[in-house]
Amino acid sequence: MSKIEGWIVLPKQNSWLVLGLIGYIFSFAVSQPVLAQVESDNQKLTTYIPHLNEVRFPATNIEGLLSQSSTPTNRPSQEKVTQVTGVQANPTDKGVEVILQTTQGEQLQISDRSQGNNYIADIPNAQLRLSTGDAFTFSSQQPVEGITEITVINLDANTIRVTVTGEAGVPTVELLDSPNEGLIFGITTTATSAQQPQQPEQEQPSQPSAADDESIEIVVTGEQDGYRVPNASVGTRTDTPLRDIPQSIQVIPQEVIQDQQATRLVEVLKNAPGVVLGGRSPRDPLNIINIRGFNASSDILINGLPDPTASEIAFGSNIERVEVLKGPASVLFGQGGLGGRINLVTKQPLPDPFYSVKASAGSYNLYRGAIDLSGPLNESKTVLYRLNASAQTRESFIDFYEHRDYLIAPSLAFKLGDKTKLTLATEYLLSEGTYDFGIPPRGSVLPNPNGRIPRNRFVSEPDFNQVSNEVFRIGYDLEHRFSEDWQARSVFRTSLFRLRRDTVFPLALQSDGRTLNRGQEDDTEYNANTYNLDNYIVGNFATGSIKHQLVAGFNLRRTDIDYKSNLSLNYAPLDIFNPVYGRTPINPTFTPQANKDRVQQFGIYLQDQITLAENLKLLLGGRFDIANQKYQEPFEQIDDFKQTEAFSPRFGIVYQPIQPISLYASYSRSFNYSTSSGFAPAETDPERGTQYEIGIKADLTDQLAATLAFYDLTRSNLPTPDPNNPNRSILVGEQRSRGIEFDVSGEILPGWNIIAGYAFTDAEITEDNDFPVGNQLSNVPKHALNLWTTYEIQSGSLEGLGFGLGVFYYGDRQGELGNTFTLPGYTRTDAAIFYERDNFRASLNIQNLFDVDYFVSAQNINRVIPGDPLTFVGTISWEF
């Protein structure tokens, strides 16, 4: 057996291939089976099914028929797909050997890289067709000490992916050549290779060994992850390919966040169709968002665990990616809204030293700095750490506005034996400064006889407008693997949120169109503490030929709200066209406000992902919750206790007529037991929701995927602001949202990435005692379009230079449920230019390139929020 560095040379005859081949081959014809197999001389022949971009449709003229007849119908003439019929994982004295067996040999390129603890290698023009067991998947759990898992799967119709996961770090992999066994991946465990240099993330091919003309060459190259993320855990609590989940899920990876230099969650979510800002300023730390027409502010997860405090402040430099789950998810995560969930995935400790420093400066005195440090704390790499920290100060086009943001997020990962891992994480975030109330609609989006209100107008008081949002989170994540097929996980987090606010706030314009009534909020304290414990097991088993992946667990959750304030609705008014500021209250009459609220929930859930056939999968799930609320009415010493029970089912089916296509349908229910908001007590009855969804997911190419979804959502017992009392809420009855969503993301050509989408959303009131049936829900455009694309030059003297362009369109939106005024639609254009070379990156990002005057949202009949004008942000970063 010979060892070959960088290049592997194999004989063409009787070669065995050693890494995974992805996607299985289907026949694409209306009148024939999806996968046709014929026995000939004791050998199976498989008809080739191309990607969508390879499908040749029937000709409609004689010339077309003649041109098609020259190409064989069973396989495209331009490429041959090599079949891998066997995979072996054999332990050795150094680790383990992975052998991919094939009877064919031809020009192949292997792209490999490391990601976290994973060594990943992709082999194009190949597919996995094993003769025993699962024909399309090979998996070996804990094959030797130091290796957690080896998987070989079909990534798509003609690519195999091999993934080797180390327990404490990236395994060392050597490529070996044997004329009798074939191509072998010699894997050395982290423990035995601790003294050896680790494989670099980007590996350039070395010179090939001598070979004759009858040999093939396998080139080992590096490859960076792009805009496409094929897997996510938010939909099933398992690492399931998105194409196998009967629900629309979109992942916004770190590459998009970096290219756009997004520092707030609302900036990231503009890349997700159907997600819009809901009634708050994008300059504030609050994450008030609508998904599919419905408010989802309290439906934010952090690493798969619900955290209501994330609606107040969450996003920072410690976020690796953002996962957007459309539709209800009560089966897995308990109480929550119907529109969808946002999952923030944080950066985890790395086994190899990693250090990053970033600095930014931009318009309106923006200054930001961030560090990211990670690596092992001992030689055996059983203790890893990561530290993210950042600080930012910024002003705005709005007069007297300034804000400061701070983050520190340390975490530790411990390897407790061969099968157990414990991660401890904490984070502290502080955002303090001016609160942005917007401006009145009359004079901005509605006519005003006095003219147009400048969009930079400040309607509060410069010396009495201070808000402080801070949160401290601490928790653990414990994973234990009992065997290859069964594992358990326990996750706990405590989140302590504190808000302090003193401000003068706007009420309504008087009849003269220029005098703005105002109120005062003094010594406001709002505390929200959330405790969340989730324990579950994941198991794989089979009943005959039917495979199951089971998730079962229970969840305990408690949220305590404590709010008090002094409120006055009688403060000196302001001439909105000729403001004169000064704290001059007019006979202030303060009304003390206070309430306490506690909601507790216990839930038991069960989910089964059933593989009936390789192209037919079912998802069945159910959850039973018991929730109770304890509410103390202010100053009346009334102790009210209410308990409710809810069952949330989930059913979905996925059918894949050909490998690149997944057709799916799903039905699910949700419930939401609300807590008090600080201004309004919790509702006495929980919100209920029902969803029906059908869709199609397609792998357009190996690196480009798309999803098209049609949905029908209905919510009942929905709390909304009471128009007669802004400090209370009412149950409006029933609302419905119907729509279409399309998203596409990935790499079109080498260096050319795209993430884009379109959403049609028809969200309206269907039953209500106060508002007309048919009124559109506020801040929900019927049509919305997002497009962001970048191109980076791949070679030559300008290699590493890149450009980005984004176009974001939002149609007309209603400003409030009464539909008394409309926010006009707008198109915003963003741009970027960046340069990357080795570990250095410099970028310039431009928002609102054409300085469009627009409004992003409306809070109520008295407040609309203008968008930012033309802004620039320059960033420099180093990684070492």
Side-chain angles (χ1 to χ4, degrees):
M1 184 176 296
S2 59
K3 175 180 175 182
I4 303 175
E5 298 288 343
W7 294 63
I8 299 300
V9 181
L10 296 178
K12 283 189 174 179
Q13 304 298 327
N14 300 321
S15 62
W16 298 75
L17 221 136
V18 184
L19 243 189
L21 299 174
I22 296 180
Y24 46 92
I25 301 178
F26 294 91
S27 49
F28 190 77
V30 175
S31 60
Q32 64 183 15
V34 172
L35 185 61
Q37 292 185 342
V38 182
E39 297 290 341
S40 175
D41 297 331
N42 299 321
Q43 186 179 12
K44 282 187 177 181
L45 301 178
T46 303
T47 303
Y48 174 78
I49 298 301
H51 271 285
L52 293 180
N53 59 351
E54 300 170 348
V55 173
R56 305 182 66 194
F57 294 96
T60 57
N61 52 46
I62 297 298
E63 182 181 358
L65 289 172
L66 291 175
S67 64
Q68 289 188 5
S69 63
S70 61
T71 302
T73 59
N74 67 321
R75 178 167 296 186
S77 59
Q78 67 271 24
E79 66 173 325
K80 297 176 65 179
V81 177
T82 301
Q83 291 190 17
V84 171
T85 57
V87 178
Q88 296 181 4
N90 302 324
T92 67
D93 56 350
K94 293 184 178 181
V96 64
E97 289 181 344
V98 179
I99 305 174
L100 300 190
Q101 302 172 345
T102 179
T103 59
Q104 303 175 24
E106 56 185 300
Q107 288 283 342
L108 294 175
Q109 285 190 337
I110 296 178
S111 298
D112 71 339
R113 66 184 185 277
S114 61
Q115 182 178 14
N117 285 11
N118 299 317
Y119 169 83
I120 302 172
D122 292 342
I123 306 177
N125 299 330
Q127 72 166 193
L128 199 63
R129 293 300 307 280
L130 305 181
S131 57
T132 60
D134 187 345
F136 308 102
T137 302
F138 171 86
S139 178
S140 178
Q141 307 288 336
Q142 208 77 33
V144 294
E145 182 179 359
I147 299 297
T148 302
E149 184 180 23
I150 298 173
T151 60
V152 184
I153 64 170
N154 286 318
L155 183 62
D156 53 38
N158 65 345
T159 308
I160 290 178
R161 170 165 291 178
V162 177
T163 304
V164 183
T165 303
E167 289 183 351
V170 181
T172 300
V173 179
E174 297 177 340
L175 300 179
L176 308 173
D177 171 31
S178 171
N180 296 324
E181 298 180 89
L183 182 61
I184 302 172
F185 284 80
I187 301 165
T188 304
T189 64
T190 306
T192 60
S193 63
Q195 305 303 321
Q196 300 177 12
Q198 295 294 315
Q199 179 177 343
E201 176 118 359
Q202 298 297 318
E203 183 175 288
Q204 298 298 327
S206 58
Q207 293 300 318
S209 302
D212 54 30
D213 294 338
E214 293 298 313
S215 301
I216 64 171
E217 294 175 350
I218 301 178
V219 184
V220 182
T221 62
E223 181 183 70
Q224 291 184 345
D225 287 337
Y227 280 18
R228 182 196 177 196
V229 180
N231 291 30
S233 61
V234 67
T236 61
R237 287 192 183 271
T238 61
D239 193 19
T240 301
L242 296 180
R243 60 188 308 278
D244 291 340
I245 300 176
Q247 201 163 357
S248 178
I249 300 175
Q250 186 178 10
V251 181
I252 305 172
Q254 179 65 208
E255 286 77 5
V256 175
I257 298 173
Q258 175 179 266
D259 288 347
Q260 297 179 349
Q261 287 300 308
T263 59
R264 296 191 293 275
L265 182 58
V266 293
E267 294 177 348
V268 178
L269 293 177
K270 70 177 180 290
N271 299 288
V275 183
V276 296
L277 188 66
R280 287 295 191 274
S281 169
R283 292 167 288 277
D284 289 334
L286 300 177
N287 297 309
I288 309 301
I289 53 177
N290 290 338
I291 303 178
R292 291 183 168 178
F294 297 135
N295 185 280
S297 303
S298 299
D299 300 321
I300 300 177
L301 318 173
I302 300 177
N303 293 327
L305 199 65
D307 195 327
T309 69
S311 64
E312 311 290 348
I313 179 173
F315 191 84
S317 61
N318 64 324
I319 301 301
E320 177 69 25
R321 66 180 184 274
V322 177
E323 301 174 342
V324 183
L325 172 66
K326 308 291 183 65
S330 286
V331 169
L332 294 177
F333 306 114
Q335 64 183 43
L338 182 61
R341 304 281 181 123
I342 305 297
N343 185 35
L344 307 180
V345 181
T346 62
K347 298 175 180 178
Q348 298 298 305
L350 302 175
D352 299 315
F354 173 82
Y355 312 102
S356 173
V357 178
K358 180 182 295 186
S360 301
S363 304
Y364 303 106
N365 292 322
L366 168 67
Y367 300 99
R368 180 170 60 243
I371 61 172
D372 184 0
L373 313 176
S374 187
L377 292 177
N378 58 359
E379 293 184 0
S380 60
K381 297 187 178 181
T382 57
V383 182
L384 311 176
Y385 82 95
R386 190 151 194 173
L387 174 64
N388 289 100
S390 63
Q392 174 180 273
T393 178
R394 54 190 166 92
E395 296 178 3
S396 171
F397 68 98
I398 300 172
D399 294 339
F400 310 112
Y401 184 93
E402 61 176 359
H403 221 89
R404 297 164 298 280
D405 303 279
Y406 307 95
L407 162 76
I408 181 169
S411 60
L412 292 172
F414 301 88
K415 178 186 175 185
L416 308 177
D418 296 335
K419 299 181 179 181
T420 306
K421 178 182 178 182
L422 174 65
T423 301
L424 304 177
T426 182
E427 61 179 303
Y428 173 78
L429 297 98
L430 172 64
S431 182
E432 58 182 7
T434 310
Y435 191 90
D436 180 13
F437 289 105
I439 56 179
R442 292 168 59 194
S444 55
V445 298
L446 294 175
N448 188 316
N450 300 286
R452 187 173 178 83
I453 302 173
R455 62 176 176 174
N456 65 324
R457 180 67 72 234
F458 187 68
V459 298
S460 183
E461 285 292 323
D463 63 343
F464 198 74
N465 186 315
Q466 283 295 315
V467 179
S468 172
N469 288 16
E470 63 177 333
V471 66
F472 175 74
R473 301 185 179 101
I474 185 170
Y476 72 80
D477 185 344
L478 177 64
E479 300 178 61
H480 178 74
R481 185 176 295 276
F482 298 101
S483 65
E484 294 183 0
D485 296 319
W486 291 92
Q487 62 181 2
R489 187 175 181 186
S490 177
V491 186
F492 175 78
R493 183 186 302 122
T494 295
S495 299
L496 308 176
F497 174 74
R498 302 287 181 268
L499 179 145
R500 302 294 183 263
R501 184 165 58 208
D502 296 295
T503 186
V504 173
F505 55 88
L507 293 172
L509 275 178
Q510 296 182 10
S511 58
D512 62 0
R514 63 184 306 133
T515 305
L516 180 67
N517 293 332
R518 298 186 297 173
Q520 180 180 349
E521 193 180 2
D522 224 355
D523 296 327
T524 295
E525 297 183 7
Y526 174 69
N527 303 319
N529 300 334
T530 297
Y531 312 91
N532 204 335
L533 172 66
D534 204 351
N535 296 307
Y536 63 94
I537 60 172
V538 179
N540 298 282
F541 63 95
T543 54
S545 61
I546 300 177
K547 300 174 184 176
H548 302 262
Q549 187 170 40
L550 189 71
V551 177
F554 69 91
N555 170 246
L556 292 169
R557 176 173 156 188
R558 190 180 93 184
T559 299
D560 294 330
I561 303 293
D562 187 357
Y563 162 75
K564 61 180 181 179
S565 178
N566 295 312
L567 187 67
S568 172
L569 301 181
N570 188 17
Y571 192 88
L574 184 74
D575 185 340
I576 200 71
F577 289 95
N578 186 25
V580 176
Y581 300 101
R583 191 179 176 187
T584 55
I586 300 177
N587 298 323
T589 302
F590 288 104
T591 302
Q593 305 285 313
N595 62 49
K596 290 185 178 181
D597 192 9
R598 171 178 291 177
V599 171
Q600 300 178 116
Q601 172 191 308
F602 172 72
I604 303 175
Y605 55 92
L606 181 68
Q607 174 187 273
D608 192 5
Q609 294 173 257
I610 306 172
T611 303
L612 300 175
E614 289 306 320
N615 63 342
L616 182 61
K617 302 174 177 67
L618 294 180
L619 179 62
L620 303 177
R623 180 183 178 116
F624 179 74
D625 284 280
I626 300 175
N628 60 66
Q629 170 189 330
K630 191 174 184 180
Y631 173 67
Q632 182 176 327
E633 191 74 24
F635 310 114
E636 297 181 10
Q637 302 303 320
I638 297 177
D639 202 18
D640 186 22
F641 180 83
K642 183 177 179 59
Q643 179 167 304
T644 188
E645 299 176 353
F647 176 71
S648 306
R650 182 188 192 189
F651 170 78
I653 184 171
V654 178
Y655 173 62
Q656 295 159 342
I658 59 175
Q659 180 71 13
I661 295 293
S662 295
L663 308 176
Y664 73 89
S666 65
Y667 163 83
S668 53
R669 293 269 294 167
S670 68
F671 94 104
N672 194 14
Y673 209 91
S674 63
T675 58
S676 60
S677 66
F679 287 101
E683 302 302 330
T684 57
D685 294 317
E687 171 194 320
R688 304 283 182 169
T690 304
Q691 174 194 259
Y692 299 91
E693 180 176 336
I694 61 173
I696 180 172
K697 301 181 181 183
D699 294 333
L700 303 178
T701 68
D702 296 349
Q703 303 297 328
L704 189 67
T707 299
L708 177 65
F710 304 82
Y711 62 86
D712 188 312
L713 311 178
T714 302
R715 294 175 82 181
S716 58
N717 294 335
L718 176 65
T720 58
D722 186 343
N724 300 317
N725 186 348
N727 298 321
R728 297 288 178 180
S729 60
I730 59 176
L731 302 177
V732 300
E734 184 180 271
Q735 299 176 356
R736 184 182 65 199
S737 177
R738 294 174 173 174
I740 303 171
E741 290 172 349
F742 172 77
D743 68 78
V744 59
S745 60
E747 187 178 56
I748 300 175
L749 293 172
W752 182 12
N753 290 306
I754 186 174
I755 183 169
Y758 165 78
F760 169 79
T761 310
D762 184 13
E764 62 180 8
I765 296 174
T766 51
E767 291 183 15
D768 190 78
N769 295 325
D770 297 307
F771 299 102
V773 172
N775 271 19
Q776 296 293 303
L777 303 188
S778 55
N779 292 303
V780 182
K782 278 200 170 182
H783 301 277
L785 175 70
N786 62 277
L787 168 66
W788 173 262
T789 183
T790 62
Y791 178 73
E792 182 178 341
I793 298 174
Q794 300 295 290
S795 60
S797 58
L798 297 179
E799 179 182 355
L801 180 64
F803 307 90
L805 180 67
V807 178
F808 304 93
Y809 166 78
Y810 299 92
D812 295 347
R813 296 140 289 149
Q814 294 299 320
E816 46 85 44
L817 288 176
N819 289 188
T820 57
F821 70 95
T822 301
L823 297 177
Y826 67 91
T827 300
R828 195 187 88 180
T829 304
D830 295 349
I833 181 171
F834 57 89
Y835 177 75
E836 287 187 86
R837 180 55 63 95
D838 299 326
N839 297 327
F840 171 81
R841 176 184 170 92
S843 65
L844 175 65
N845 288 76
I846 307 171
Q847 292 186 358
N848 198 0
L849 180 63
F850 300 110
D851 199 17
V852 175
D853 189 353
Y854 67 98
F855 295 89
V856 293
S857 66
Q859 187 173 352
N860 51 42
I861 187 62
N862 301 312
R863 306 172 188 173
V864 296
I865 311 299
D868 287 334
L870 172 68
T871 59
F872 300 86
V873 177
T875 303
I876 297 177
S877 63
W878 293 269
E879 294 181 1
F880 49 94

